[in-house]
Amino acid sequence: ETGVTQSPTHLIKTRGQQVTLRCSSQSGHNTVSWYQQALGQGPQFIFQYYREEENGRGNFPPRFSGLQFPNYSSELNVNALELDDSALYLCASSLVGSYEQYFGPGTRLTVT
Amino acid sequence: QQQVKQSPQSLIVQKGGISIINCAYENTAFDYFPWYQQFPGKGPALLIAIRPDVSEKKEGRFTISFNKSAKQFSLHIMDSQPGDSATYFCAASGSNFGNEKLTFGTGTRLTIIP
């Protein structure tokens, strides 16, 4: 069984740029959620995707957007990067109807 | 608005001792309460979870105690080991489709000393 994988591991961007982060779900999982974890904080829910559609969104502006593909992998896109976007971005996969969410190792984004 | 409050912020326990971390929630729609363990530079790993229909769940050295009326739950780590040194997060979610987002506590940094 393959766990959740994310790429890239680290990323450095400049304020105002755009970034795309990628996630591959755990084998058999059809739901993907994205979380932002600022340093020293708990993860904050960004949004969830199921059947390639957004299924719930947290308190994040529209410049945070996502995609889910037919193979259940997912992308998180952030436009017009701000310094406060610097964080660990976590992807979690789950099976719809199951409570358990399994996290990937995250992508560390630094905005300068 | 913080819907899941976690304490303490940091905890130091001697090897072999019991580590106890507490959480309180406000949203009565929550009905799934997991604990995650996170090591530096890694993603959170699901440790143990409980539903409100039971008051206690034990898996190995890890036990969740749940008090529905008080809207509180806690993690107990028995016979704590240096390898347990990590940050622990409690979380909560609903179960309805579209309401499965996890709301996390602020974390507890646990250090086990020899």
Side-chain angles (χ1 to χ4, degrees):
Chain A
E1 184 177 272
T2 306
V4 180
T5 60
Q6 292 186 241
S7 63
T9 304
H10 296 93
L11 204 54
I12 300 175
K13 289 287 188 178
T14 303
R15 189 171 51 184
Q17 286 187 318
Q18 178 266 343
V19 68
T20 297
L21 311 181
R22 296 177 174 81
C23 169
S24 291
S25 301
Q26 182 166 318
S27 177
H29 286 182
N30 53 14
T31 301
V32 173
S33 301
W34 286 91
Y35 293 79
Q36 180 196 65
Q37 186 177 24
L39 200 60
Q41 301 296 317
Q44 298 288 318
F45 175 75
I46 303 175
F47 43 56
Q48 182 184 78
Y49 276 82
Y50 172 65
R51 288 188 174 178
E52 303 174 46
E53 292 189 357
E54 188 179 290
N55 175 41
R57 187 179 185 94
N59 189 27
F60 282 82
R63 59 188 186 84
F64 285 78
S65 63
L67 286 172
Q68 186 184 30
F69 300 99
N71 66 353
Y72 307 127
S73 66
S74 177
E75 286 182 355
L76 165 65
N77 298 289
V78 186
N79 294 322
L81 284 167
E82 301 177 0
L83 297 179
D84 285 349
D85 295 334
S86 295
L88 181 68
Y89 287 86
L90 296 162
C91 167
S93 75
S94 58
L95 194 59
V96 69
S98 168
Y99 298 94
E100 299 171 348
Q101 294 188 31
Y102 296 91
F103 285 83
T107 293
R108 172 70 63 187
L109 173 65
T110 302
V111 182
T112 61
Chain B
Q1 179 186 7
Q2 183 185 359
Q3 295 190 48
V4 180
K5 295 183 179 180
Q6 183 172 346
S7 63
Q9 187 174 358
S10 62
L11 181 62
I12 299 174
V13 175
Q14 280 204 313
K15 179 182 175 182
I18 302 173
S19 304
I20 302 174
I21 305 171
N22 301 299
C23 282
Y25 64 97
E26 300 169 4
N27 188 345
T28 55
F30 289 151
D31 67 350
Y32 172 68
F33 303 89
W35 285 89
Y36 283 85
Q37 178 190 58
Q38 186 175 30
F39 293 104
K42 305 293 185 182
L46 180 61
L47 197 59
I48 186 173
I50 198 168
R51 297 286 314 284
D53 52 344
V54 296
S55 60
E56 186 176 281
K57 183 175 181 180
K58 183 177 180 179
E59 290 184 359
R61 296 186 295 110
F62 301 92
T63 299
I64 299 179
S65 296
F66 186 82
N67 186 329
K68 187 175 181 178
S69 61
K71 292 189 285 186
Q72 295 176 346
F73 59 110
S74 61
L75 175 69
H76 295 233
I77 305 175
M78 312 299 288
D79 187 26
S80 299
Q81 299 296 313
D84 297 331
S85 296
T87 300
Y88 292 80
F89 292 96
C90 62
S93 75
S95 59
N96 296 331
F97 180 69
N99 193 30
E100 302 137 324
K101 66 177 184 180
L102 289 167
T103 299
F104 283 84
T106 50
T108 296
R109 179 173 291 183
L110 174 64
T111 303
I112 308 301
I113 57 175

